[in-house]
Amino acid sequence: MHPMLNIAVRAARNAGKVITRSMEQLDKVEVESKGTNDFVTSVDIAAEQTIIETIRKSYPEHTIIGEESGVLTGSDDNIQWIIDPLDGTTNFVKGIPHFAVSIAIKVKGKLDQAVVFDPIRAELFTASRGKGAQLNGMRIRVNSQKELAGTLLATGFPYKSKQHSNAYMAMFASLFQKTADMRRAGSAALDLAYVAAGRVDGFFEIGLKPWDTAAGELLVIEAGGLVTDLSGGHNHTQSGNIVASNSRLLKEILKDVRPHLGTALS
């Protein structure tokens, strides 16, 4: 295992311990609103601090970009750690056991290492650039489905960007007519990990942040898949609008998505 990935795994497991301990006493978790339909808990903050401390012990010079802490600049900006300490906060707050720790490492602007850790199921998804993707040490691959018929797609509602609700629902309806079923589980990091592991055939969502998708994106790519924006380009990190699947099925998903983009989502 790459040394930085080893530290990322350690950091994710440490954060997972913070989260699972807190899950046993949800009534004591403090919840605050940081924006419309956007919540942060004392557990998000504690888990992120645990991750930062773990990284800093081994790599004090690296830059860290955290969902709660913002940008913590180090002397070496060529290496950036992008962390979401608790992806699926709403699930966590409600006691729904589906959330994850997401940690990605960029080297000179390119995704290099990734960890998505589900502490409830003890499932560790990892990827290293050019070395493939694994689930608990076993190689994973995206599904090879070529058409939408019979597929299971994952998605997320644009709850922070409700101005795009009509466009999103049109995309959903168009795809739903052709697929076997759709899933909205509440954690983009796990949705992308599930695409990589072949548990779902594809994923699309509007209005995500880099820390939601960075680790999952590398997982999908290293599992043989593709990640694009809603028009098939490479602006998903900036726009937050994302599609992930195998290359053939991704083209089919885009055919149903593109007619509903409009100027606001192009």
Side-chain angles (χ1 to χ4, degrees):
M1 187 180 287
H2 189 284
M4 286 194 295
L5 182 60
N6 193 39
I7 297 303
V9 167
R10 185 183 303 169
R13 290 193 184 280
N14 288 346
K17 290 174 187 174
V18 172
I19 295 165
T20 51
R21 280 199 302 265
S22 301
M23 190 82 174
E24 296 166 4
Q25 296 180 304
L26 276 178
D27 56 319
K28 295 183 180 178
V29 174
E30 299 170 19
V31 183
E32 294 180 17
S33 175
K34 58 179 181 177
T36 305
N37 305 315
D38 194 6
F39 302 98
V40 60
T41 71
S42 51
V43 178
D44 291 76
I45 294 167
E48 182 161 299
Q49 196 55 45
T50 297
I51 293 168
I52 291 168
E53 287 171 3
T54 305
I55 295 167
R56 285 282 187 246
K57 282 179 185 175
S58 296
Y59 299 107
E61 72 279 10
H62 293 177
T63 292
I64 298 172
I65 301 169
E67 178 177 10
E68 312 307 336
S69 304
V71 179
L72 304 174
T73 306
S75 59
D76 185 358
D77 198 40
N78 285 322
I79 302 178
Q80 298 179 332
W81 296 65
I82 304 166
I83 60 179
D84 188 339
L86 177 50
D87 185 62
T89 298
T90 301
N91 281 351
F92 172 79
V93 168
K94 297 295 185 181
I96 299 169
H98 188 80
F99 40 77
V101 181
S102 175
I103 302 174
I105 305 169
K106 275 188 172 181
V107 177
K108 295 182 179 178
K110 291 184 177 180
L111 288 168
D112 196 75
Q113 308 293 328
V115 173
V116 173
F117 178 54
D118 177 345
I120 297 298
R121 297 177 185 85
E123 290 191 329
L124 180 73
F125 300 84
T126 58
S128 293
R129 185 155 61 101
K131 300 288 178 61
Q134 293 83 31
L135 166 55
N136 290 343
M138 301 294 288
R139 185 71 182 265
I140 52 176
R141 297 287 295 175
V142 296
N143 280 343
S144 57
Q145 192 88 8
K146 294 181 177 65
E147 54 189 36
L148 285 165
T151 58
L152 179 64
L153 298 187
T155 189
F157 302 132
Y159 64 97
K160 297 179 191 174
S161 307
K162 291 193 175 179
Q163 71 273 21
H164 298 314
S165 293
N166 290 340
Y168 170 81
M169 293 309 291
M171 295 173 195
F172 183 99
S174 182
L175 287 163
F176 184 65
Q177 294 298 322
K178 299 178 181 180
T179 60
D181 207 350
M182 308 275 270
R183 293 286 182 271
R184 192 280 190 262
S187 168
L190 283 176
D191 287 335
L192 287 162
Y194 283 16
V195 172
R199 292 177 175 175
V200 295
D201 298 293
F203 167 69
F204 75 103
E205 190 166 345
I206 290 170
L208 292 169
K209 299 294 185 183
W211 44 78
D212 298 319
T213 60
E217 177 179 349
L218 188 62
L219 285 170
V220 171
I221 291 168
E222 289 298 326
L226 281 179
V227 178
T228 72
D229 59 26
L230 298 181
S231 59
H234 301 288
N235 195 46
H236 50 281
T237 304
Q238 287 72 39
S239 69
N241 307 326
I242 190 169
V243 182
S245 188
N246 71 59
S247 58
R248 187 85 171 266
L249 188 62
L250 187 137
K251 290 176 184 175
E252 297 302 308
I253 296 170
L254 291 174
K255 284 180 187 176
D256 283 79
V257 166
R258 280 194 186 111
H260 310 292
L261 289 180
T263 54
L265 290 172
S266 58

